[in-house]
Amino acid sequence: MFTNDQRQQGRTGRYGTSRVEFLQKLVTQFQNTSEDETREKILANLANFAYDPYNYNFLRQLNVLELFVDCLTEPNEKLVEFGIGGICNSCVDPANSAIVTTFGGIPLIIQCLSSPVRNTVNYALGALYYICNESNKEEILRPEVVDVIRRYAAAEEVSVSFSNLAKAFLSKHLAENY
């Protein structure tokens, strides 16, 4: 559910922890632990906060978008999944997309298209849908990337979600109709 200042105040009460403080605690916990399961849970939590526009400024302020990009280089597939999930959730906002792009996210997102984890591929397709624009389309719309996306579009029997996301991408960015 999307939130606003009034709703957030009602949920936290007069003496509760503010959203930005709570998110800061999550980021600090993530940075201070080396236990994979704990890091996975924290990153999943952060990715869930990334869908709500109310949190976008906080995520930018706390460098969470950069954290999501960093997680795409992890050997742990769960961290990659939750990192790309956070990117996908937040990149509806052009300012967030610009940060992900600036910090080298595009090649890492493209790598996620070949992940064995279905959610990772779905999130990567969604992220590319939102991130692709005039300033970076040459990097994203390379023939080898478009070929992969076209194969997903044609793979309706394998995964309807892959197919639908890929078709939406091709329709928006290459004017291909399905």
Side-chain angles (χ1 to χ4, degrees):
M1 176 62 63
F2 295 135
T3 196
N4 56 42
D5 288 333
Q6 182 180 4
R7 185 169 187 273
Q8 188 60 31
Q9 178 64 33
R11 294 182 77 208
T12 59
R14 177 180 260 168
Y15 304 107
T17 304
S18 72
R19 180 62 58 89
V20 70
E21 289 172 315
F22 181 75
L23 291 171
Q24 178 63 68
K25 286 179 183 179
L26 287 175
V27 170
T28 301
Q29 287 175 341
F30 184 86
Q31 292 169 334
N32 291 337
T33 187
S34 58
E35 188 178 314
D36 278 349
E37 187 175 337
T38 302
R39 293 178 82 214
E40 292 166 6
K41 288 177 182 177
I42 294 168
L43 194 64
N45 234 329
L46 288 168
N48 283 335
F49 280 103
Y51 82 93
D52 190 340
Y54 180 80
N55 298 318
Y56 291 169
N57 283 330
F58 306 138
L59 296 174
R60 289 189 290 264
Q61 176 184 336
L62 299 171
N63 298 318
V64 174
L65 299 164
E66 293 90 329
L67 177 70
F68 291 151
V69 172
D70 285 344
C71 286
L72 300 185
T73 64
E74 291 281 341
N76 179 327
E77 287 289 345
K78 284 286 189 195
L79 292 177
V80 174
E81 177 185 352
F82 298 138
I84 189 67
I87 290 169
C88 181
N89 287 347
S90 62
C91 280
V92 173
D93 183 270
N96 293 341
S97 291
I99 290 169
V100 169
T101 300
T102 299
F103 282 88
I106 290 174
L108 299 171
I109 294 168
I110 290 170
Q111 284 180 352
C112 289
L113 291 174
S114 60
S115 172
V117 179
R118 292 174 89 87
N119 282 342
T120 299
V121 174
N122 273 327
Y123 295 142
L125 287 166
L128 289 173
Y129 177 89
Y130 289 114
I131 287 176
C132 188
N133 61 38
E134 283 300 316
S135 68
N136 61 33
K137 70 179 183 180
E138 285 185 22
E139 184 176 5
I140 295 173
L141 298 178
R142 294 190 329 260
E144 63 273 17
V145 177
V146 172
D147 182 56
V148 168
I149 295 172
R150 283 187 177 129
R151 282 188 271 139
Y152 281 130
E156 198 166 283
E157 292 82 34
V158 176
S159 173
V160 172
S161 62
F162 288 0
S163 178
N164 288 343
L165 284 164
K167 288 175 184 176
F169 177 92
L170 294 169
S171 177
K172 179 179 180 182
H173 299 293
L174 293 174
E176 293 183 13
N177 296 317
Y178 289 90

PDB file of all heavy atoms in Angstrom, residues 62-77:
ATOM      1  N   LEU A  62      19.933   7.388   1.571  1.00  0.00           N
ATOM      2  CA  LEU A  62      20.696   6.344   2.264  1.00  0.00           C
ATOM      3  C   LEU A  62      21.534   5.479   1.322  1.00  0.00           C
ATOM      4  O   LEU A  62      22.130   4.491   1.750  1.00  0.00           O
ATOM      5  CB  LEU A  62      19.730   5.457   3.067  1.00  0.00           C
ATOM      6  CG  LEU A  62      18.935   6.184   4.153  1.00  0.00           C
ATOM      7  CD1 LEU A  62      17.866   5.259   4.730  1.00  0.00           C
ATOM      8  CD2 LEU A  62      19.862   6.705   5.242  1.00  0.00           C
ATOM      9  N   ASN A  63      21.571   5.835   0.038  1.00  0.00           N
ATOM     10  CA  ASN A  63      22.350   5.107  -0.978  1.00  0.00           C
ATOM     11  C   ASN A  63      21.913   3.646  -1.122  1.00  0.00           C
ATOM     12  O   ASN A  63      22.726   2.773  -1.428  1.00  0.00           O
ATOM     13  CB  ASN A  63      23.850   5.178  -0.684  1.00  0.00           C
ATOM     14  CG  ASN A  63      24.363   6.602  -0.704  1.00  0.00           C
ATOM     15  OD1 ASN A  63      23.993   7.390  -1.572  1.00  0.00           O
ATOM     16  ND2 ASN A  63      25.184   6.948   0.263  1.00  0.00           N
ATOM     17  N   VAL A  64      20.638   3.398  -0.924  1.00  0.00           N
ATOM     18  CA  VAL A  64      20.128   2.033  -1.046  1.00  0.00           C
ATOM     19  C   VAL A  64      20.140   1.568  -2.500  1.00  0.00           C
ATOM     20  O   VAL A  64      20.404   0.398  -2.778  1.00  0.00           O
ATOM     21  CB  VAL A  64      18.713   1.910  -0.425  1.00  0.00           C
ATOM     22  CG1 VAL A  64      18.119   0.530  -0.676  1.00  0.00           C
ATOM     23  CG2 VAL A  64      18.776   2.203   1.073  1.00  0.00           C
ATOM     24  N   LEU A  65      19.922   2.485  -3.430  1.00  0.00           N
ATOM     25  CA  LEU A  65      19.939   2.089  -4.845  1.00  0.00           C
ATOM     26  C   LEU A  65      21.326   1.583  -5.244  1.00  0.00           C
ATOM     27  O   LEU A  65      21.442   0.592  -5.971  1.00  0.00           O
ATOM     28  CB  LEU A  65      19.494   3.249  -5.727  1.00  0.00           C
ATOM     29  CG  LEU A  65      18.067   3.730  -5.430  1.00  0.00           C
ATOM     30  CD1 LEU A  65      17.820   5.092  -6.043  1.00  0.00           C
ATOM     31  CD2 LEU A  65      17.052   2.719  -5.880  1.00  0.00           C
ATOM     32  N   GLU A  66      22.365   2.237  -4.743  1.00  0.00           N
ATOM     33  CA  GLU A  66      23.724   1.778  -4.999  1.00  0.00           C
ATOM     34  C   GLU A  66      23.956   0.414  -4.351  1.00  0.00           C
ATOM     35  O   GLU A  66      24.634  -0.446  -4.922  1.00  0.00           O
ATOM     36  CB  GLU A  66      24.746   2.793  -4.472  1.00  0.00           C
ATOM     37  CG  GLU A  66      24.751   4.112  -5.222  1.00  0.00           C
ATOM     38  CD  GLU A  66      23.799   5.156  -4.651  1.00  0.00           C
ATOM     39  OE1 GLU A  66      22.738   4.806  -4.094  1.00  0.00           O
ATOM     40  OE2 GLU A  66      24.120   6.355  -4.780  1.00  0.00           O
ATOM     41  N   LEU A  67      23.376   0.210  -3.186  1.00  0.00           N
ATOM     42  CA  LEU A  67      23.466  -1.087  -2.512  1.00  0.00           C
ATOM     43  C   LEU A  67      22.816  -2.177  -3.367  1.00  0.00           C
ATOM     44  O   LEU A  67      23.377  -3.266  -3.527  1.00  0.00           O
ATOM     45  CB  LEU A  67      22.792  -1.010  -1.133  1.00  0.00           C
ATOM     46  CG  LEU A  67      22.744  -2.301  -0.329  1.00  0.00           C
ATOM     47  CD1 LEU A  67      24.129  -2.693   0.142  1.00  0.00           C
ATOM     48  CD2 LEU A  67      21.806  -2.129   0.861  1.00  0.00           C
ATOM     49  N   PHE A  68      21.648  -1.877  -3.935  1.00  0.00           N
ATOM     50  CA  PHE A  68      20.995  -2.840  -4.824  1.00  0.00           C
ATOM     51  C   PHE A  68      21.900  -3.191  -6.003  1.00  0.00           C
ATOM     52  O   PHE A  68      22.048  -4.360  -6.360  1.00  0.00           O
ATOM     53  CB  PHE A  68      19.659  -2.296  -5.356  1.00  0.00           C
ATOM     54  CG  PHE A  68      18.559  -2.173  -4.341  1.00  0.00           C
ATOM     55  CD1 PHE A  68      17.576  -1.202  -4.506  1.00  0.00           C
ATOM     56  CD2 PHE A  68      18.462  -3.022  -3.254  1.00  0.00           C
ATOM     57  CE1 PHE A  68      16.534  -1.084  -3.600  1.00  0.00           C
ATOM     58  CE2 PHE A  68      17.419  -2.910  -2.332  1.00  0.00           C
ATOM     59  CZ  PHE A  68      16.448  -1.934  -2.504  1.00  0.00           C
ATOM     60  N   VAL A  69      22.511  -2.181  -6.608  1.00  0.00           N
ATOM     61  CA  VAL A  69      23.414  -2.425  -7.742  1.00  0.00           C
ATOM     62  C   VAL A  69      24.599  -3.281  -7.296  1.00  0.00           C
ATOM     63  O   VAL A  69      24.962  -4.256  -7.972  1.00  0.00           O
ATOM     64  CB  VAL A  69      23.894  -1.100  -8.379  1.00  0.00           C
ATOM     65  CG1 VAL A  69      24.987  -1.357  -9.430  1.00  0.00           C
ATOM     66  CG2 VAL A  69      22.729  -0.347  -9.006  1.00  0.00           C
ATOM     67  N   ASP A  70      25.183  -2.961  -6.149  1.00  0.00           N
ATOM     68  CA  ASP A  70      26.314  -3.748  -5.637  1.00  0.00           C
ATOM     69  C   ASP A  70      25.940  -5.215  -5.461  1.00  0.00           C
ATOM     70  O   ASP A  70      26.758  -6.106  -5.712  1.00  0.00           O
ATOM     71  CB  ASP A  70      26.801  -3.198  -4.291  1.00  0.00           C
ATOM     72  CG  ASP A  70      27.585  -1.915  -4.425  1.00  0.00           C
ATOM     73  OD1 ASP A  70      28.019  -1.581  -5.548  1.00  0.00           O
ATOM     74  OD2 ASP A  70      27.750  -1.224  -3.397  1.00  0.00           O
ATOM     75  N   CYS A  71      24.718  -5.467  -5.032  1.00  0.00           N
ATOM     76  CA  CYS A  71      24.293  -6.846  -4.776  1.00  0.00           C
ATOM     77  C   CYS A  71      24.183  -7.672  -6.060  1.00  0.00           C
ATOM     78  O   CYS A  71      24.204  -8.897  -6.004  1.00  0.00           O
ATOM     79  CB  CYS A  71      22.973  -6.863  -4.000  1.00  0.00           C
ATOM     80  SG  CYS A  71      23.221  -6.387  -2.271  1.00  0.00           S
ATOM     81  N   LEU A  72      24.104  -7.010  -7.206  1.00  0.00           N
ATOM     82  CA  LEU A  72      24.035  -7.741  -8.474  1.00  0.00           C
ATOM     83  C   LEU A  72      25.345  -8.445  -8.789  1.00  0.00           C
ATOM     84  O   LEU A  72      25.388  -9.307  -9.666  1.00  0.00           O
ATOM     85  CB  LEU A  72      23.641  -6.808  -9.621  1.00  0.00           C
ATOM     86  CG  LEU A  72      22.290  -6.105  -9.495  1.00  0.00           C
ATOM     87  CD1 LEU A  72      21.990  -5.307 -10.759  1.00  0.00           C
ATOM     88  CD2 LEU A  72      21.166  -7.075  -9.187  1.00  0.00           C
ATOM     89  N   THR A  73      26.412  -8.093  -8.089  1.00  0.00           N
ATOM     90  CA  THR A  73      27.713  -8.739  -8.311  1.00  0.00           C
ATOM     91  C   THR A  73      27.999  -9.840  -7.292  1.00  0.00           C
ATOM     92  O   THR A  73      29.061 -10.459  -7.338  1.00  0.00           O
ATOM     93  CB  THR A  73      28.847  -7.696  -8.243  1.00  0.00           C
ATOM     94  OG1 THR A  73      28.910  -7.150  -6.924  1.00  0.00           O
ATOM     95  CG2 THR A  73      28.638  -6.577  -9.253  1.00  0.00           C
ATOM     96  N   GLU A  74      27.069 -10.088  -6.401  1.00  0.00           N
ATOM     97  CA  GLU A  74      27.255 -11.099  -5.358  1.00  0.00           C
ATOM     98  C   GLU A  74      27.154 -12.507  -5.938  1.00  0.00           C
ATOM     99  O   GLU A  74      26.355 -12.751  -6.856  1.00  0.00           O
ATOM    100  CB  GLU A  74      26.186 -10.944  -4.266  1.00  0.00           C
ATOM    101  CG  GLU A  74      26.327  -9.695  -3.431  1.00  0.00           C
ATOM    102  CD  GLU A  74      27.394  -9.813  -2.375  1.00  0.00           C
ATOM    103  OE1 GLU A  74      27.798 -10.949  -2.030  1.00  0.00           O
ATOM    104  OE2 GLU A  74      27.839  -8.759  -1.889  1.00  0.00           O
ATOM    105  N   PRO A  75      27.910 -13.466  -5.393  1.00  0.00           N
ATOM    106  CA  PRO A  75      27.760 -14.861  -5.833  1.00  0.00           C
ATOM    107  C   PRO A  75      26.467 -15.505  -5.291  1.00  0.00           C
ATOM    108  O   PRO A  75      26.010 -16.497  -5.833  1.00  0.00           O
ATOM    109  CB  PRO A  75      29.002 -15.553  -5.258  1.00  0.00           C
ATOM    110  CG  PRO A  75      29.448 -14.689  -4.138  1.00  0.00           C
ATOM    111  CD  PRO A  75      29.021 -13.289  -4.456  1.00  0.00           C
ATOM    112  N   ASN A  76      25.887 -14.928  -4.264  1.00  0.00           N
ATOM    113  CA  ASN A  76      24.662 -15.428  -3.646  1.00  0.00           C
ATOM    114  C   ASN A  76      23.460 -15.047  -4.521  1.00  0.00           C
ATOM    115  O   ASN A  76      23.133 -13.860  -4.650  1.00  0.00           O
ATOM    116  CB  ASN A  76      24.543 -14.836  -2.237  1.00  0.00           C
ATOM    117  CG  ASN A  76      23.302 -15.264  -1.495  1.00  0.00           C
ATOM    118  OD1 ASN A  76      22.246 -15.473  -2.075  1.00  0.00           O
ATOM    119  ND2 ASN A  76      23.419 -15.365  -0.187  1.00  0.00           N
ATOM    120  N   GLU A  77      22.798 -16.041  -5.113  1.00  0.00           N
ATOM    121  CA  GLU A  77      21.676 -15.783  -6.026  1.00  0.00           C
ATOM    122  C   GLU A  77      20.503 -15.067  -5.353  1.00  0.00           C
ATOM    123  O   GLU A  77      19.776 -14.326  -6.000  1.00  0.00           O
ATOM    124  CB  GLU A  77      21.182 -17.090  -6.663  1.00  0.00           C
ATOM    125  CG  GLU A  77      22.109 -17.663  -7.709  1.00  0.00           C
ATOM    126  CD  GLU A  77      22.163 -16.864  -9.002  1.00  0.00           C
ATOM    127  OE1 GLU A  77      21.291 -16.007  -9.258  1.00  0.00           O
ATOM    128  OE2 GLU A  77      23.111 -17.091  -9.772  1.00  0.00           O
TER     129      GLU A  77
END
